[in-house]
Amino acid sequence: MGHPLPRFALIASLLLSAGAGTPADTREAIEQQKKACAALDQAAKAAGVAQPAEFSRLLKDVAERMDALAAVASLAPELKKELKAAATNLRARAQAPPTGFSAQDSLRLLERVGAALGAPPADLAFQGSYSQTKVQEPAYGGHASAMGPPPEAPPSTGGPSPVQFELVPALTEKAFCGGRTKDSILESGGSGIALVDFDGDGLLDVYAVSAFELDDKKQRIPHPNALYRNLGGMKFKNVAHEAGLDAAAWGN
């Protein structure tokens, strides 16, 4: 027998044999997606401060990047079609005055592209409770630290925000987590959800976990989990039973 491989060489060999890492073309596509999102954000700001030349340049840049993304082999045909249509619309929009521009639809499309490519989520500034100043007085309720002041808001440019929220009653099942009085800390945290593209169509689906409902006599009333397939256009269908994921247990 020969000498055993050093540990680092063995790990490298295993990673290579398993095809670890992201292919170069996918990494390049993810970079294009990130730059397109950044340019859209800048275009919205340029529209808000009435800079038509910069606004037009940025939209044309986004359109070129969308065309490049539409050529990525791993993306679904429907997603490629949407990218090409969006690129055409942005080029036309670049010729018009920036007043009233909204990047919302284009950003949503690029977010779906990023999810399909496996792009990591955008970096978010976060201050956890463990990084905050500890409270001096005794703390109750199982949490021994206090959150600091919120981060300062960025200066406003006067333009519309590229991030918009809309309340849409899309998920039909009701989630439960214990009884009405919440006598246990386990009942107060909620069950949670997971966002995942389980069918690989480029749209984020929703897996909503439910726990037992407790009646006034603390008797358990089971409720199944729900798996919502994203049909597009903020429409969802619960397919948990077909997928074998409609378990009824205390989920979290």
Side-chain angles (χ1 to χ4, degrees):
M1 293 180 62
H3 295 290
L5 283 171
R7 180 176 295 182
F8 72 88
L10 178 60
I11 293 174
S13 175
L14 289 172
L15 289 175
L16 288 172
S17 64
T22 306
D25 56 345
T26 301
R27 290 197 300 270
E28 183 178 347
I30 290 173
E31 190 64 24
Q32 289 278 19
Q33 183 260 356
K34 288 181 179 179
K35 289 181 178 179
C37 288
L40 269 175
D41 183 49
Q42 294 171 9
K45 293 177 181 177
V49 294
Q51 295 179 340
E54 181 68 0
F55 170 77
S56 178
R57 182 191 70 79
L58 288 165
L59 286 195
K60 291 176 182 177
D61 178 71
V62 175
E64 289 182 8
R65 297 186 188 282
M66 284 185 167
D67 280 337
L69 288 168
V72 176
S74 61
L75 291 180
E78 188 62 30
L79 207 51
K80 294 180 181 181
K81 183 178 179 181
E82 290 185 57
L83 282 167
K84 291 178 181 177
T88 300
N89 291 337
L90 286 177
R91 287 191 176 92
R93 187 65 179 85
Q95 307 304 318
T99 307
F101 172 73
S102 173
Q104 182 177 358
D105 291 341
S106 297
L107 283 172
R108 284 178 177 171
L109 174 59
L110 287 170
E111 287 172 0
R112 289 166 51 202
V113 171
L117 292 170
D123 294 333
L124 298 176
F126 175 75
Q127 280 190 313
S129 60
Y130 292 102
S131 65
Q132 304 301 311
T133 304
K134 304 300 180 182
V135 294
Q136 299 300 318
E137 69 276 6
Y140 302 95
H143 200 278
S145 61
M147 296 300 293
E152 294 183 6
S156 175
T157 60
S161 170
V163 179
Q164 302 291 329
F165 293 92
E166 180 182 358
L167 181 61
V168 178
L171 308 184
T172 56
E173 303 298 328
K174 186 176 181 180
F176 294 87
C177 191
R180 294 182 296 108
T181 56
K182 305 299 179 190
D183 298 324
S184 169
I185 193 172
L186 295 177
E187 301 175 64
S188 62
S191 300
I193 64 171
L195 302 180
V196 58
D197 181 13
F198 85 96
D199 52 3
D201 63 354
L203 300 175
L204 279 179
D205 308 297
V206 182
Y207 187 48
V209 181
S210 188
F212 289 122
E213 178 186 5
L214 299 179
D215 63 18
D216 293 338
K217 296 182 179 180
K218 299 301 180 184
Q219 297 298 310
R220 295 180 177 181
I221 305 173
H223 294 276
N225 299 334
L227 174 63
Y228 296 99
R229 170 176 282 145
N230 192 336
L231 305 178
M234 294 305 295
K235 294 182 180 179
F236 294 83
K237 179 182 179 182
N238 186 0
V239 295
H241 180 71
E242 295 91 324
L245 295 173
D246 55 343
W250 188 278
N252 190 290

